[in-house]
Amino acid sequence: MAERQLTQILTQLKSAPSYETALPLLSKAKLLLAQLNALTPSPSVPPQIQSLALQTYEQGALASIRASNPQAFTRYVDQLAPFYEQHPSDEKNKITGLYLLLLITQGGYDEFHSELERLTAVSASAFDAVESDRYLGYPIRIERWLMEGSYDRVWKAMKQGEVPCEEFSVFSEILTVQIRNEIARSSERAYPSLPISSTKALLFLPSEGEVMEYAKSRGWILRDGHIYFPPAVAAQETGEDGEKKEMSQVVIENALEYARQLETIV
Amino acid sequence: MEMAKHDREHPAKYPVLDLNEARPDITEPIELSLTRRETFVKGFAIQTTGRLGAWNQVARHFEAVEMPGKTPDKEPVENGGYRGGKDIEMKDNDLKPKGKKSIKDGDDEMTVVVPPSKKQSSVPPPNDADGDVVMDDSDKAEDGAVKVDPVVQAINDIKSNYALLDRAVALFDARFSLRALRSISSIRKRLTPDILAQAISETFTASSPSSHVASGLLQAIGRGDVSLGRQPGPEMEIDSEPKAKNGVKKEAKEVIPEVDVFLGILTQVLLYDTKQFQRGFEFSSQLATRVQSLNRRTLDSLSAKVYFYFSLFAEQMTPLPPSSQSPIVSIRPTLLAALRTAVLRKDIDTQASVIVLLLRNYLLTSHITQADLLVSHTQFPENAANNQVARFLYYLGRVRAVQLRYTEAHEHLTAATRKAPSSASALGFSQTATKLLMVVELLMGDIPDRATFRETSMELSLHPYFLLVQAVRVGNLEDFETIIADHADTFRRDSTYTLILRLRQNVIKTGIRMMSLSYSRISLRDICIRLHLGSEENAEYIVAKAIRDGVIEATLDRERGFMKSKEIGDVYATREPGEAFHDRIRACLALHDESVKAMRFPMNQHRLELKNAQEAREREREMAKEIQEGDLDEDDLGGEFEGM
């Protein structure tokens, strides 16, 4: 009974146009799963119900991504993890790829690599398979480029058509902000000054007006059509002065410590 | 050659010094400081390793001196001829734990678990001596006279350990059980189902309460039909009366659980060596349950061993580890339960052993997050056996490396390679740990010391890594990619492949650094061409990031499209040498502290010292009193003053 109901809800879910319509369906599906005692893949649950549970969670994950709800998405991914240990699924790579991308945008690089390690450990040829996968290869490439500093490639990869599927483009906005900030921080250190006109291209901003706005938000100084970044440098120098003062103290502390240790040894 | 040498000496940590190789025209003054620095660094390195070696020696020596003294009750039993036996046993002591250690290295597993063969000849004498102790001193001469039948010998060797276990229980001293465990390696080679069956049947009587345990053991090795309580077989009859009588006497009392667990471990070893993994796995899980139910502190080191083989069996069964259906996943609850119990019982041996096994278990299926959670929720016992500490550090280093916490990983892996025993039997572990350490060093932007690659024991297995280091050092992206492609299988087998792929950015950074050191000004276009980057914009972003990460000291000029290197100051003007010096001193001091902690002191010695000190103080007080009273003045002190 509950099983048939669940199947119905699933078909409805797959064609659900928006998160708002999917949400009540999802909670109904989860209630049914709880009735079937199939919220986790325990051995007592028959396989076909397990696969229904798996599909429910997958739909939930995709729906929450479309609604840009990372918390809900992470929850679904966590619930899916034990199912994926036992069942193959068509959507697995897509969801894992989305999860990896989410981790990148949240700066969870350690989790990203832990996850990646698990994906590639399955067999010797798995790594190539993972890398060439449409959904999994994308976040891996993005991460590599971000680490290298090839921001232009990330930018290009986020353009329409390059993204493996529509769910992935949800992250594009977050990633854009992220790389823009990265570039800005690099620029503060790397350039003594920048002409406003070329900064537009550098930061992937659409117009000079937005460059001005962005520069103001970061506290850069605009003068004669150039951007100057003095405050960061100044802060650095005062910081160093402070360190120097400390240094003599550190040396004295060290020397005293050595003396004390020597005394205990001799 | 000269240039290469300098570069090797000074990894990325001291970027300025590399100036030399880039700008040969200005070598003069810097060369000077270089040599000064080189001697400073090198001298220190030698000193440090020298100290380390010395400490190890001291520690080992100390233990060597200690051991005979620990068994004074044994001394009178043995005649002079057996004295040599102790030395051999010391060697045994050194070798065995190392032997089992390299089990981590998947490749060497089978070979390394088996202890070095040269021991075969040297071991029987000490065991014989121990055998004598069991059988009372009286028949010693006789035993020596009998021509030793290998089967009888093996059974005697097994039985000789009962005495050690007995003593371990009686004196509540774990070291005796450890000695019994150590002898497994020598018995192992001669072990056959028949020998073990006979040993078991001679140990247990059919009527004893633990007979069901014995029959379980017999069934496990496929000798279920052997009856219990058998007297020493016909071939032993030559050994004459006293021995048989002795046997009866022994069986009359209850067999202590330590002995039957010991026999259980021997059974595990036998099944493992004969590759009966399925049967071994079933037997081990029973044995583990039994060990769990027995709450005896003297059993600690034995039960640690039981779990060790238990998990080893699980790993060998199909489907093999990386698959999520592997039996190692199913033994996790058992191991976790064992860990819980061990912690509650303050059973350090089992705790350490099981934590290591669990970590290994998680890493085999690449469950890094779980491994990390395990580490953060448990406390590895501080005074665990050295080998377990080394393993733990290695696995922890692995976890941290995957999580990009390279500094921690480096720390743990360095400690692991240092703690790894230097004997040949643990080579597998040293190699694996060194490989990982090198990759982590590269990821941190350091270049591993070339001397490591030259060690004869490492040279061959480290060769792919040597090529890798060369490519990273030069910053040649093309070489790097070809090396990865050529040796992908090796790297995958060592499970360093994913880590190595992360090195790509380091190669690029090194390349940029070379550029920045070689040219005071270079166009982005040239950088792009030389480093094989996609485009000029790409190069610009990468260089900007490198500047921000502090890889190079330079500025970019966007309008004219070039990178301008900044003049670099003298490192000696910074606090860096001081910091390096401080780090080393701290390492030495920590080493000293650890060595002091590791030393064993004879019991109650401090009371003697206290007494001496008390006496000395009293004498002093008397003297002071005398001086005060002026007794001494006239005799000696006063006279001299007058003389002046």
Side-chain angles (χ1 to χ4, degrees):
Chain A
M1 225 299 269
E3 200 181 327
R4 202 175 318 130
Q5 246 179 309
L6 198 59
T7 330
Q8 272 173 10
I9 293 177
L10 266 176
T11 41
Q12 281 178 347
L13 259 178
K14 276 175 193 163
S15 54
S18 72
Y19 187 60
E20 281 70 38
T21 49
L23 203 57
L25 288 173
L26 274 172
S27 37
K28 219 185 278 174
K30 279 188 278 187
L31 267 175
L32 285 171
L33 280 180
Q35 274 171 25
L36 291 165
N37 209 5
L39 285 172
T40 51
S42 56
S44 59
V45 181
Q48 69 269 23
I49 296 195
Q50 282 197 26
S51 105
L52 282 178
L54 180 97
Q55 287 175 40
T56 314
Y57 289 138
E58 275 174 351
Q59 290 306 320
L62 292 177
S64 42
I65 268 299
R66 281 184 216 119
S68 311
N69 185 347
Q71 283 91 5
F73 176 71
T74 320
R75 209 157 44 235
Y76 281 115
V77 168
D78 287 342
Q79 279 168 325
L80 276 169
F83 283 99
Y84 281 149
E85 296 274 320
Q86 293 171 20
H87 298 276
S89 162
D90 301 336
E91 302 275 353
K92 181 183 173 185
N93 285 351
K94 192 170 168 183
I95 300 219
T96 319
L98 283 168
Y99 182 56
L100 288 176
L101 205 54
L102 176 73
L103 287 176
I104 294 176
T105 54
Q106 292 178 342
Y109 289 108
D110 56 332
E111 284 172 61
F112 174 84
H113 282 286
S114 308
E115 199 69 22
L116 196 60
E117 194 81 7
R118 225 180 73 205
L119 288 173
T120 53
V122 184
S123 69
S125 58
F127 199 91
D128 300 321
V130 165
E131 213 166 347
S132 54
D133 187 273
R134 218 162 84 85
Y135 299 117
L136 295 178
Y138 184 73
I140 293 175
R141 281 197 301 277
I142 297 266
E143 191 266 351
R144 202 166 295 160
W145 289 331
L146 278 177
M147 281 288 140
E148 267 172 29
S150 310
Y151 300 118
D152 55 328
R153 292 194 184 168
V154 181
W155 175 252
K156 273 179 211 146
M158 283 185 312
K159 280 188 194 140
Q160 221 70 55
E162 297 287 323
V163 185
C165 68
E166 46 152 342
E167 281 88 1
F168 280 76
S169 51
V170 173
F171 292 104
S172 296
E173 205 177 315
I174 312 171
L175 270 177
T176 314
V177 176
Q178 198 182 349
I179 59 170
R180 194 166 291 149
N181 286 335
E182 291 284 317
I183 295 169
R185 275 167 62 202
S186 300
S187 308
E188 281 169 9
R189 298 287 304 275
Y191 302 94
S193 71
L194 273 174
I196 291 177
S197 51
S198 68
T199 315
K200 187 180 78 174
L202 190 74
L203 293 174
F204 309 116
L205 286 167
S207 70
E208 286 187 23
E210 285 194 39
V211 173
M212 312 265 243
E213 227 166 82
Y214 187 74
K216 263 180 214 144
S217 73
R218 286 198 75 89
W220 295 341
I221 296 166
L222 296 161
R223 207 187 317 137
D224 319 328
H226 277 70
I227 296 172
Y228 293 90
F229 320 97
V233 182
Q236 204 91 38
E237 263 162 29
T238 50
E240 252 164 43
D241 271 348
E243 269 179 28
K244 259 176 205 157
K245 257 176 238 155
E246 259 175 48
M247 194 171 160
S248 51
Q249 203 181 341
V250 169
V251 170
I252 293 168
E253 271 169 18
N254 286 348
L256 284 175
E257 178 68 14
Y258 302 153
R260 206 174 59 80
Q261 293 278 3
L262 266 181
E263 214 153 62
T264 57
I265 293 170
V266 178
Chain B
M1 191 56 227
E2 180 79 340
M3 268 162 48
K5 199 177 146 221
H6 288 152
D7 201 60
R8 203 171 62 236
E9 298 291 345
H10 309 289
K13 266 190 187 166
Y14 311 106
V16 182
L17 293 158
D18 285 15
L19 260 180
N20 249 10
E21 64 172 46
R23 296 177 189 164
D25 51 322
I26 47 157
T27 40
E28 255 307 305
I30 296 164
E31 183 72 67
L32 259 173
S33 67
L34 225 176
T35 42
R36 185 159 54 104
R37 157 148 214 129
E38 206 163 315
T39 42
F40 160 65
V41 171
K42 270 176 104 176
F44 214 92
I46 289 163
Q47 243 185 342
T48 326
T49 49
R51 283 288 293 274
L52 215 123
W55 274 114
N56 278 345
Q57 267 176 7
V58 169
R60 215 165 285 163
H61 178 73
F62 206 89
E63 209 177 331
V65 173
E66 266 285 289
M67 278 305 277
K70 287 286 162 186
T71 53
D73 43 338
K74 226 173 126 187
E75 218 68 64
V77 180
E78 288 165 272
N79 54 27
Y82 281 128
R83 271 220 155 254
K86 290 218 157 134
D87 283 341
I88 296 168
E89 204 169 275
M90 278 323 298
K91 210 158 83 192
D92 194 352
N93 173 22
D94 274 351
L95 283 172
K96 172 56 204 191
K98 291 161 190 174
K100 67 179 185 189
K101 134 146 308 182
S102 13
I103 276 167
K104 261 177 245 172
D105 191 357
D107 319 344
D108 305 53
E109 201 155 8
M110 289 310 291
T111 48
V112 191
V113 177
V114 181
S117 58
K118 60 169 181 175
K119 256 169 52 205
Q120 175 102 60
S121 56
S122 63
V123 162
N127 277 325
D128 209 357
D130 288 345
D132 284 346
V133 185
V134 187
M135 294 180 285
D136 273 338
D137 334 342
S138 56
D139 58 359
K140 183 174 28 177
E142 222 169 18
D143 191 56
V146 174
K147 220 173 90 197
V148 194
D149 176 1
V151 175
V152 180
Q153 176 69 48
I155 294 172
N156 283 351
D157 284 353
I158 294 176
K159 286 183 164 182
S160 67
N161 288 306
Y162 300 169
L164 288 173
L165 293 168
D166 260 331
R167 203 177 295 154
V169 177
L171 300 178
F172 206 72
D173 191 339
R175 258 172 310 164
F176 292 109
S177 352
L178 286 178
R179 271 170 73 188
L181 285 175
R182 253 180 256 133
S183 72
I184 290 179
S185 60
S186 74
I187 297 172
R188 185 168 192 169
K189 282 208 208 68
R190 293 169 284 157
L191 210 57
T192 64
D194 290 309
I195 290 179
L196 190 57
Q198 200 174 340
I200 293 169
S201 74
E202 283 169 25
T203 312
F204 296 95
T205 51
S207 55
S208 83
S210 49
S211 63
H212 65 280
V213 181
S215 49
L217 291 176
L218 287 171
Q219 254 154 29
I221 52 172
R223 293 287 182 280
D225 49 339
V226 178
S227 62
L228 291 176
R230 196 160 53 152
Q231 291 304 308
E235 69 270 35
M236 301 254 309
E237 269 169 8
I238 349 161
D239 275 10
S240 80
E241 302 304 293
K243 192 163 186 178
K245 225 169 25 190
N246 214 316
V248 176
K249 209 162 50 185
K250 215 177 131 33
E251 280 160 27
K253 64 178 183 199
E254 179 49 33
V255 179
I256 52 170
E258 279 75 11
V259 168
D260 76 57
V261 172
F262 180 73
L263 285 170
I265 295 172
L266 282 180
T267 312
Q268 285 182 312
V269 170
L270 181 71
L271 290 172
Y272 187 78
D273 286 349
T274 49
K275 302 212 176 355
Q276 304 179 48
F277 299 129
Q278 181 64 41
R279 187 181 270 185
F281 179 67
E282 282 156 20
F283 172 71
S284 300
S285 58
Q286 285 164 21
L287 191 62
T289 333
R290 182 167 153 68
V291 164
Q292 182 96 347
S293 64
L294 293 166
N295 187 5
R296 284 169 75 100
R297 291 290 59 71
T298 41
L299 209 59
D300 289 354
S301 45
L302 292 162
S303 54
K305 209 75 185 149
V306 169
Y307 287 114
F308 172 77
Y309 282 108
F310 181 39
S311 115
L312 209 56
F313 279 122
E315 274 170 33
Q316 295 296 334
M317 279 162 60
T318 49
L320 286 170
S323 146
S324 55
Q325 264 86 45
S326 161
I328 55 167
V329 179
S330 67
I331 66 165
R332 279 178 196 166
T334 321
L335 288 178
L336 286 167
L339 178 60
R340 257 193 315 271
T341 324
V343 172
L344 286 175
R345 290 174 182 172
K346 293 203 193 308
D347 173 356
I348 288 168
D349 289 318
T350 314
Q351 251 182 70
S353 172
V354 170
I355 291 179
V356 169
L357 287 174
L358 274 169
L359 272 181
R360 177 183 168 79
N361 198 322
Y362 286 134
L363 287 179
L364 276 173
T365 49
S366 294
H367 284 101
I368 307 289
T369 327
Q370 277 93 326
D372 181 41
L373 284 173
L374 176 75
V375 174
S376 61
H377 289 295
T378 51
Q379 200 174 9
F380 193 76
E382 262 175 45
N383 33 4
N386 193 39
N387 294 333
Q388 300 293 5
V389 178
R391 289 173 179 172
F392 177 72
L393 288 171
Y394 167 75
Y395 289 128
L396 192 56
R398 225 192 150 80
V399 172
R400 295 287 177 257
V402 172
Q403 293 178 322
L404 295 116
R405 287 150 81 173
Y406 300 132
T407 323
E408 282 170 62
H410 185 256
E411 203 176 291
H412 296 316
L413 288 169
T414 322
T417 45
R418 281 192 192 145
K419 279 200 196 285
S422 47
S423 99
S425 49
L427 199 58
F429 176 71
S430 306
Q431 283 176 349
T432 318
T434 315
K435 284 173 190 169
L436 190 60
L437 177 62
M438 273 174 183
V439 177
V440 171
E441 268 180 25
L442 285 176
L443 282 167
M444 289 171 77
D446 288 352
I447 300 294
D449 196 359
R450 186 164 185 145
T452 336
F453 296 104
R454 282 208 220 93
E455 272 175 46
T456 40
S457 57
M458 303 263 185
E459 201 172 3
L460 211 61
S461 70
L462 291 184
H463 187 67
Y465 293 86
F466 176 62
L467 298 175
L468 188 74
V469 170
Q470 275 185 327
V472 175
R473 195 175 64 80
V474 178
N476 189 332
L477 209 55
E478 243 174 305
D479 275 5
F480 177 73
E481 308 254 323
T482 41
I483 287 164
I484 288 191
D486 287 352
H487 298 278
D489 288 338
T490 323
F491 295 144
R492 282 208 186 101
R493 206 174 50 233
D494 298 339
S495 42
T496 47
Y497 189 65
T498 41
L499 292 177
I500 288 171
L501 283 182
R502 288 189 213 163
L503 274 174
R504 209 184 117 87
Q505 34 161 323
N506 290 52
V507 179
I508 295 175
K509 277 182 192 161
T510 322
I512 293 175
R513 224 185 80 217
M514 292 305 212
M515 297 275 156
S516 140
L517 292 174
S518 320
Y519 301 92
S520 53
R521 179 190 287 194
I522 183 170
S523 73
L524 289 170
R525 195 180 159 66
D526 284 339
I527 293 179
C528 162
I529 292 166
R530 299 216 179 178
L531 297 180
H532 310 285
L533 301 172
S535 62
E536 263 178 70
E537 295 97 72
N538 193 357
E540 189 172 352
Y541 286 121
I542 292 176
V543 171
K545 188 166 193 292
I547 293 172
R548 192 186 91 196
D549 293 347
V551 179
I552 49 169
E553 291 281 324
T555 50
L556 282 170
D557 192 320
R558 186 163 168 86
E559 279 147 290
R560 279 168 289 176
F562 62 76
M563 174 181 88
K564 187 171 182 288
S565 306
K566 274 184 197 158
E567 286 304 316
I568 307 156
D570 182 11
V571 228
Y572 288 98
T574 67
R575 51 199 297 180
E576 206 150 318
E579 270 166 14
F581 187 58
H582 180 61
D583 277 348
R584 282 168 187 161
I585 289 184
R586 219 172 34 205
C588 291
L589 288 173
L591 187 66
H592 172 265
D593 287 350
E594 269 173 38
S595 313
V596 170
K597 276 186 211 158
M599 285 199 267
R600 275 202 228 139
F601 295 98
M603 288 282 269
N604 295 333
Q605 191 66 35
H606 66 285
R607 282 205 199 137
L608 210 70
E609 273 170 31
L610 275 181
K611 211 173 137 203
N612 286 346
Q614 196 102 34
E615 273 170 19
R617 220 174 293 138
E618 254 161 49
R619 238 178 288 132
E620 223 167 78
R621 208 175 296 142
E622 264 169 44
M623 198 120 91
K625 211 166 155 198
E626 278 172 28
I627 293 170
Q628 234 173 15
E629 286 167 4
D631 287 357
L632 287 172
D633 285 13
E634 285 149 38
D635 303 329
D636 27 42
L637 298 174
E640 286 203 11
F641 279 125
E642 265 170 11
M644 278 172 76

